[in-house]
Amino acid sequence: MGPTVVIGAGLGGLAAAMRLAAAGRDVTVVEARDVPGGCCGTARLGEYRFDTGPSVLTMPGVLADAFAAAGEDLESWLPLRRLDPYYRLRYHDGSHLDVVAGEDAMAEEVRRLCGAAEAGRYRRFRARLAELFAAEWDAFIDRDMTRLRNLARPAALTRLARLAALGGFRRLDRLVAGHLTDPRLIRAHTFQALYVGLSPRQALGIYAVIAHMDTVGGVYFPRHGGMHAIPQAMAAVAEKAGARLRYGVRAVRVEAGSSGVSGVRLDTGERLAARDVVVACDLPYAHAGLLPRGAGDWRLRRPRYSPSCLVLHFGLDRRLPGQAHHTLHFGREWHSSFADLARGRPQGDPNLLVTYPESDSGAAPAGHATLTVLEPAPNLQRARWDGLTPRLEERLLGRLADLGYGDLSGAPRLGFDPPGWAGLGHSAGTPFALDHRFRQTAWFRPAGAARRVPGLHFAGMYTAPGVGVPPVLISGRLAAERILEARR
Ligand SMILES: Cc1cc2nc3c(=O)[nH]c(=O)nc-3n(C[C@H](O)[C@H](O)[C@H](O)COP(=O)(O)OP(=O)(O)OC[C@H]3O[C@@H](n4cnc5c(N)ncnc54)[C@H](O)[C@@H]3O)c2cc1C
């Protein structure tokens, strides 16, 4: 049992470090930035504080599991609040749907918007979502997909057959439209395709489980400190369990010999001896110089990246009474807006995600508030970005004014665009890694361990199960379990 080095204190790396340290391993985490969290970061602008990544937490049980593995109770470190509504969906025709907790309350919302017959169909669809989730979670999401040969095992084939019978291998839009008829309700259950970097026409029906996770499972937010409180608490738990966290240092080379991993060279010139390494950072960059010979993965030969996003964070000198934490403003266009992204163009009529974290009381001075708007945007693999940001920002300000947020052109603001994401170390200028097309899903996503370099493991959004807070926490757990089982 030699030392372990974790490269990257994003949520994936931290999840691995917490578990390994709690199991008695000698763990060092090296993080290039000055704070933990990676995408789940934080930024300040004057008296305003913003979460620069995820704005809500789904599947809090996965996070609780990471704390429990370190002998800690999530609730005492990080009390969470369930949001109500989970989302507010606003349509171009002026109507809206609140996604609320509980089947009866949600069916009533659907009845109000779409009528009694659709509410009945919604109940049946919700039951199908639960079946899909049950068929997928243990078998495909919460499971190590590193060994491709496991795909051919009879148990895996039986589970795949079950998923196929539930419609998991149909296209998402067809699966949902097979149950629901109102286009607004269909949008409410297919926009999540964007979370896996695809359009509802491209994504497989298996990704309907995302709708189950957030519209049924609910969305949560820390009671104090915003989303960035999550990595802060995880880093504190890892340190309490004995891990060393080193910020502001970059790993530049993983060294390996004939018996596998031997150490990690840092940009300070220092060398950390290591028997195991968890690489929990951007994998295409890692393969371009950080990793030793023999670490190549055929799955990364022709990477297809998710779309990126333009994000504007505003400091408001007022509050917005009645505004939900999360509001999705759908544009008039639907399929063409996804096609625009695929062709490398900004969406003609963008769908916007507006976050108003009113319950994060420390984020703004009394009587003030913060507002964040995210517009999906093409990544740099698809688009030449030159000069696009000012034009898109101007259009976004106009759109926000039309939507009733007032003139925000004079408000203090902070922006992140695809070149900015690239500057933060995200390949192709997207913080959402590879998309989840079939050939980048499950066993076909970059492997969790290098077959030819013993002791070299991977975690984070480039590996299975994929992008998003719960998946990267799972990837960290899987990496830690592989190391603990291997007894190198
Ligand atoms: C704007 C935005 C909104 C999002 N919204 C949601 C949401 O609502 N729900 C959801 O579930 N998910 C959301 N996500 C996605 C989610 O945040 C990510 O999938 C997840 O946090 C990625 O974690 P990670 O550990 O894989 O990678 P990262 O967070 O990228 O962490 C990698 C870390 O490695 C460090 N690093 C890189 N190279 C080196 C090196 N050589 N040496 C040392 N350190 C290095 C980096 O600095 C970084 O801290 C969002 C992301 C963004 C950006």
Side-chain angles (χ1 to χ4, degrees):
M1 271 193 353
T4 302
V5 174
V6 177
I7 300 176
L11 301 180
L14 289 172
M18 284 165 78
R19 230 165 244 274
L20 288 165
R25 292 297 174 111
D26 172 355
V27 178
T28 303
V29 183
V30 292
E31 166 54 52
R33 297 184 203 167
D34 295 333
V35 291
C39 285
C40 196
T42 185
R44 280 198 172 272
L45 183 64
E47 293 180 289
Y48 299 97
R49 168 174 54 71
F50 305 99
D51 284 320
T52 54
S55 43
V56 286
L57 175 70
T58 54
M59 308 290 296
V62 177
L63 186 61
D65 182 51
F67 278 69
E72 302 290 338
D73 171 38
L74 173 66
E75 191 57 25
S76 48
W77 279 87
L78 198 69
L80 299 173
R81 179 197 306 277
R82 193 173 73 177
L83 296 175
D84 179 24
Y86 298 157
Y87 287 94
R88 177 160 298 151
L89 307 177
R90 288 199 174 279
Y91 299 96
H92 69 274
D93 62 3
S95 62
H96 81 275
L97 176 79
D98 276 358
V99 179
V100 291
E103 178 170 343
D104 290 345
M106 188 59 201
E108 177 53 27
E109 251 310 274
V110 173
R111 194 202 55 73
R112 177 190 63 73
L113 184 71
C114 318
E118 190 75 343
R121 286 188 283 272
Y122 169 74
R123 284 189 190 271
R124 289 189 288 281
F125 175 63
R126 190 173 163 115
R128 171 56 60 90
L129 285 181
E131 285 178 302
L132 266 169
F133 180 77
E136 281 179 48
W137 183 259
D138 289 341
F140 300 103
I141 301 173
D142 200 27
R143 176 174 289 254
D144 197 350
M145 293 286 172
T146 297
R147 291 185 187 280
L148 187 57
R149 66 168 181 265
N150 290 349
L151 173 57
R153 289 204 171 154
L157 295 175
T158 307
R159 292 186 193 116
L160 287 169
R162 167 80 180 137
L163 271 189
L166 291 170
F169 297 113
R170 299 177 71 189
R171 297 293 154 183
L172 180 63
D173 63 339
R174 297 249 172 98
L175 172 71
V176 177
H179 290 82
L180 305 171
T181 60
D182 190 301
R184 295 168 298 182
L185 205 54
I186 292 174
R187 287 187 186 194
H189 293 91
T190 54
F191 76 83
Q192 295 86 352
L194 205 52
Y195 294 172
V196 293
L198 298 169
S199 76
R201 280 184 173 161
Q202 285 176 296
L204 291 176
I206 49 174
Y207 289 111
V209 293
I210 306 176
H212 176 84
M213 291 181 205
D214 56 13
T215 66
V216 178
V219 296
Y220 295 78
F221 192 72
R223 285 188 181 273
H224 313 287
M227 288 295 285
H228 184 63
I230 295 175
Q232 290 287 1
M234 291 175 73
V237 166
E239 281 185 314
K240 187 177 169 200
R244 283 176 297 280
L245 276 100
R246 298 192 47 185
Y247 297 107
V249 281
R250 178 173 287 279
V252 292
R253 186 83 191 149
V254 176
E255 297 177 345
S258 54
S259 61
V261 160
S262 59
V264 175
R265 186 73 62 182
L266 306 181
D267 60 356
T268 54
E270 203 180 336
R271 181 180 184 277
L272 302 179
R275 191 103 170 108
D276 294 288
V277 171
V278 180
V279 178
C281 57
D282 186 282
L283 285 195
Y285 278 132
H287 279 283
L290 177 68
L291 300 181
R293 278 163 68 91
D297 189 335
W298 57 269
R299 299 165 185 84
L300 268 169
R301 239 176 255 153
R302 286 178 55 231
R304 295 290 178 197
Y305 294 96
S306 294
S308 183
C309 58
L310 174 70
V311 181
L312 293 185
H313 300 283
F314 297 95
L316 306 186
D317 59 4
R318 64 204 154 93
R319 297 179 85 86
L320 305 176
Q323 175 78 21
H325 180 104
H326 246 169
T327 305
L328 250 145
H329 294 277
F330 290 115
R332 183 179 298 274
E333 304 301 330
W334 187 237
H335 291 298
S336 69
S337 62
F338 292 101
D340 287 337
L341 289 179
R343 288 193 202 106
R345 293 200 294 247
Q347 294 189 321
D349 185 11
N351 304 301
L352 303 180
L353 173 64
V354 172
T355 304
Y356 177 68
E358 189 177 28
S359 64
D360 186 1
S361 54
H368 294 226
T370 64
L371 190 80
T372 294
V373 55
L374 183 153
E375 175 180 332
N379 64 46
L380 301 182
Q381 186 185 46
R382 298 258 161 216
R384 280 174 59 89
W385 195 263
D386 311 346
L388 214 48
T389 301
R391 273 200 287 134
L392 289 185
E393 282 194 11
E394 187 133 335
R395 185 179 74 168
L396 204 45
L397 289 167
R399 181 92 200 282
L400 288 169
D402 292 345
L403 290 169
Y405 293 96
D407 177 8
L408 297 179
S409 58
R413 74 171 187 257
L414 197 63
F416 292 82
D417 61 0
W421 294 117
L424 287 170
H426 294 291
S427 288
T430 173
F432 304 120
L434 303 177
D435 69 34
H436 286 248
R437 66 188 61 206
F438 179 70
R439 70 171 179 79
Q440 296 187 151
T441 287
W443 289 280
F444 303 112
R445 220 167 163 78
R451 214 155 48 91
R452 292 198 197 83
V453 188
L456 183 56
H457 298 265
F458 302 96
M461 57 186 160
Y462 276 88
T463 65
V467 179
V469 175
V472 305
L473 294 174
I474 290 171
S475 76
R477 190 198 84 219
L478 294 172
E481 286 175 353
R482 272 192 305 271
I483 289 171
L484 294 172
E485 279 159 19
R487 299 182 190 284
R488 286 189 76 230

